Amino acid sequence: MDSEKLKELFQQLTPEEKIAQTIQLNGSLVIENEVMTTGPMHDLGLPPNLKIHEIGSIYNVNDYQKLIQLQRETLEHSRLKIPMLFMSDVIYGFRTIFPIPLAQAGSYDFDLIEQAAEMTAKECYQNGLHVIFSPMLDLVRDPRWGRVMESPGEDVYTAKRFAQSVVTGYQGDLTHGLAENHVAACIKHFAGYGAPEAGREYNTVDMSNQRLFNEYLQPYQAAIEAQALLVMTAFNVLNGEPATGSRWLNREILRERFGFDGVLVSDHAAIKELVPHGFAKDEREAAQKGLEAGVDFDMMTSVYATHLPELIKQPELAALLDEAVWRILVLKNQLGLFENPYRGLRTQHTGEVLSDEAKELAVKLVEKSCVLLKNDGSLPLKKDQTVAVIGPYGESRLTLGFWASVSGKPQDTIPLKTGLLQHFAAENLIFARGYNLFDSYEQFGPLKAGIEQLNGPIEPEDQLLVEAVKAAEAAEVIVLTFGEQFMESGEGASKAHLQLPLKQIRLIQALKKTGKPLIGVLYTGRPLVLTQVEPLFDSLLLVWYPGTMGGIGIANLLSGQASPTAKLSMTFPRSEGQIPIYSAQLPTGRPLTDSEHSDRFLSKYRDESNEPLFAFGTGLSYGMFTGEWLESAVLSETIQLDYRIKNQAEVAGETVVQIYLLQRPASMVRPSRQLIASDLVLLAPQEDKEKRLSLPISVLGFYDNQGAKHLSNGTYRFLMRIDQKETLLAVTI
Ligand code: GLC
């Protein structure tokens, strides 16, 4: 619809219809027995006169028939036939579930990440979704927080590249609006949700403006520059104001500084929560503050519906409501919903999912997201070895991670056993559960029976341990699958203790006693504290939550068909006491090295090392790559860094090269090292290649507490990291 016609439509809206457009409800509230009802809605205290067919959006309905039903009823009953907007928590895949974002980011294959996002968008489009609540772009440096699993990790550069790839993959080229097989990205959670004090869910976030501008706001800004069409607010307080109610954050920064003119959605009940935050004296004031902050949708509460009718009697608030509703209509128009309200939906069948192309893409992303943390040569496995595959993940399908279940199905998952049988003879594989993945199924409530049916009955732990040791004794090598279960991370899953459960430690020790090579395959949504058990493993492969095709991709790595290339996207601490611990730390005035002070008076612990167990950027491969700097050149707006890299192996191989900027004196203290570039290099056997990285000179700059950018001439030092070796280069600009 052209803008003039859209404006005419907008001008016909009554105040009640405008308010209704700002309401977003979970679809479960508006559908009962396949039809839209208002019944459960009123559990939310929505006003009885609210016309359900006039509300602006519902979310988390992923069944195409229900979506058709919802849209058909909306068009039949809406006075002006304004289509409903369908949104959903699709975070890393619709039905083809890819590895969790914390894993994907470590692949540094941003083209592949974009392809996976595009495939996700295609599956969403063909099943009727318009907007998906991702990518989540909260920088994270505290593994006690359960939502690190859906983040691209601790590093600014990595998170920015991830943001650009996923937004572009979802939305495609917007020149002519959103094309078919593409959906709108709703990035989240604006802002700073990933830095809660003590790692405690929904807790306070407080940091300097320079840290916001230089680090935590960067990934959101990159997504907005990639034209993300929606943003979701955050639950947390940021520097004394709840993010959802902050005019400074949502108007001055998001809309004015970043130039975002899209739709701002509150997180679940976040406007209403301005009251318990103590930022609004009642829900009426919360509604006013949400509107004044520029929040366009009130997700899942009655605050806007109840209080806006009175509030908009004030002309300035009426004008803010008009702005909000206009942005919502513009988005619906960008999606082409007025011409095609059943966008992407097929009336007779569900859209295409789990295609061969999608599954192949997922296998590749699994292979590129798993991090080889340690390897004494026990990996890759040899073809004719007898392998004891111990641990619940040998056969479990529950490897999708916390957020996959909104649209994903564990039944689709290929277990590790299936993958291994593609590489090893059945008689050479001995499976033993080793320990129960869940201590109880009670936590799953109504889903209990289904999960138990899928994962098997709980058995006596002692018996499982005995069987595991017996299997190990009968084999030449042990592959132990261990770690967290998917409900231990995600939303509402902060943990103060990050060690493995005692039963897993006991099992690892018992298996070590058999004297057989012990290979660990770690499933987890967060960095864990593995300090006690790490020395017992000969090799350790971190697979995070690998998604639908995890079993195939992991087996390809264990067998050597594929070689690991991924790098750690988040630091693994030696103990919780070190947290927050991350790569881009400041050196302090009393660093451990090069300090004139005596040992006691250095920045250190008396009872722990300063070093992590596994540092950000760690990641081995089966190959061997070496490199050296060549020429560098400084042009007007770019720095050219040339380097040579050689594949020392007799087989082709791929590796991730990382370039760090080292600290130099400046008006604001800068990190000791800061990742500023990466390069994914594929080399033939023994191939020696010259490569060039052209970086914008702005990458050397930084912001001060007033948000002003600084960049000065001088000598800059760069560190190139190939495999685990680092070489230094100095460049003067
Ligand atoms: C949740 C999450 C958010 C999600 C939203 C809708 O509380 O914080 O990430 O998109 O509600 O389910």
Side-chain angles (χ1 to χ4, degrees), residues 26 59-60 89 91 133 147 150 188-189 193 202 232 235 267-268 299 403 491:
N26 187 304
Y59 69 98
N60 283 358
D89 278 307
I91 317 301
F133 294 138
R147 300 193 74 164
E150 58 188 285
K188 65 188 184 184
H189 306 81
Y193 182 23
Y202 314 124
M232 183 186 292
F235 290 122
D267 200 341
H268 184 127
M299 183 192 286
W403 278 106
E491 185 171 359

Side-chain angles (χ1 to χ4, degrees), residues 138 189-193 232-237 242-245 265 267 270 277:
D138 305 326
H189 306 81
F190 198 71
Y193 182 23
M232 183 186 292
T233 70
F235 290 122
N236 53 280
V237 163
T244 299
V265 185
D267 200 341
H277 270 303

Side-chain angles (χ1 to χ4, degrees), residues 97-118:
I97 305 299
F98 293 98
I100 58 173
L102 194 59
Q104 290 189 35
S107 71
Y108 287 89
D109 189 336
F110 297 105
D111 290 343
L112 188 59
I113 289 170
E114 184 175 331
Q115 291 168 43
E118 189 149 27

Side-chain angles (χ1 to χ4, degrees), residues 100-237:
I100 58 173
L102 194 59
Q104 290 189 35
S107 71
Y108 287 89
D109 189 336
F110 297 105
D111 290 343
L112 188 59
I113 289 170
E114 184 175 331
Q115 291 168 43
E118 189 149 27
M119 182 57 72
T120 294
K122 183 178 175 184
E123 291 193 353
C124 289
Y125 169 85
Q126 296 201 1
N127 286 276
L129 295 179
H130 306 144
V131 176
I132 50 182
F133 294 138
S134 62
M136 183 273 218
L137 297 173
D138 305 326
L139 219 54
V140 289
R141 290 157 176 188
D142 188 332
R144 292 171 295 183
W145 190 51
R147 300 193 74 164
V148 301
M149 56 82 64
E150 58 188 285
S151 161
E154 70 176 61
D155 177 66
V156 175
Y157 162 80
T158 310
K160 288 172 71 173
R161 291 294 305 274
F162 181 83
Q164 291 155 348
S165 297
V166 175
V167 169
T168 306
Y170 284 172
Q171 298 186 160
D173 175 355
L174 292 176
T175 312
H176 305 292
L178 265 162
E180 66 173 25
N181 288 330
H182 288 87
V183 292
C186 179
I187 66 171
K188 65 188 184 184
H189 306 81
F190 198 71
Y193 182 23
E197 286 180 357
R200 198 178 79 227
E201 184 63 284
Y202 314 124
N203 203 8
T204 303
V205 175
D206 205 285
M207 63 177 78
S208 65
N209 277 358
Q210 70 84 19
R211 170 153 277 182
L212 271 174
F213 291 129
N214 287 309
E215 298 177 295
Y216 284 81
L217 291 178
Q218 288 279 326
Y220 307 117
Q221 187 173 8
I224 289 157
E225 284 164 3
Q227 298 187 293
L229 290 171
L230 295 93
V231 174
M232 183 186 292
T233 70
F235 290 122
N236 53 280
V237 163

Side-chain angles (χ1 to χ4, degrees), residues 74 232 245 276 299 317 449 500 732:
T74 297
M232 183 186 292
M299 183 192 286
L317 295 179
L500 293 170
T732 301

Side-chain angles (χ1 to χ4, degrees), residues 553-597:
I554 294 165
N556 290 351
L557 292 169
L558 293 174
S559 68
Q561 175 181 305
S563 167
T565 53
K567 303 296 179 189
L568 266 191
S569 51
M570 191 172 180
T571 300
F572 272 59
R574 302 181 60 81
S575 61
E576 295 89 340
Q578 293 177 306
I579 295 170
I581 180 170
Y582 51 96
S583 171
Q585 299 210 32
L586 305 185
T588 81
R590 296 199 173 191
L592 267 189
T593 52
D594 308 332
S595 174
E596 66 195 31
H597 298 281

